[in-house]
Amino acid sequence: MLHSECEAVDHVLVPANTEFEPSGTEGTESAWFVLGGSAELGTEQVSAGHVILSPASARTRFVAGPDGVELLWIAVLPDEVSRALPARKPVVS
């Protein structure tokens, strides 16, 4: 069985003053790296260098700032799912 705890890695560019709320994130946890620009995340302001961690149950909604925002999004399986997967035995040649 082939599997990975990483579901997806996405480069996201959100234009200025635009809302971005990803769909289809149910059952995954997310790490958001702010690469450039700025955004509001709830009541918080985030900008380049910020990292946001979102549990599987969280709703994430960014509103891009006046220069937009550039994000790197990594979606992973939650720990309880990862623990249920069979152990991987990598072969090193």
Side-chain angles (χ1 to χ4, degrees):
M1 174 180 175
L2 298 174
H3 68 272
S4 172
E5 286 79 6
C6 184
E7 282 283 307
V9 176
D10 290 296
H11 181 231
V12 180
L13 297 171
V14 184
N17 306 310
T18 301
E19 180 180 311
F20 172 67
E21 184 174 357
S23 61
T25 62
E26 298 81 16
T28 61
E29 297 179 338
S30 296
W32 299 89
F33 297 87
V34 183
L35 303 176
S38 64
E40 284 183 15
L41 178 64
T43 60
E44 300 293 320
Q45 289 287 329
V46 296
S47 58
H50 281 102
V51 176
I52 300 100
L53 302 176
S54 300
S57 59
R59 180 177 158 208
T60 306
R61 182 179 157 269
F62 291 93
V63 179
D67 296 322
V69 67
E70 179 180 7
L71 304 164
L72 178 66
W73 174 20
I74 301 174
V76 298
L77 296 176
D79 187 53
E80 61 272 8
V81 174
S82 293
R83 280 188 272 122
L85 294 171
R88 282 177 279 153
K89 298 178 184 168
V91 176
V92 179
S93 349

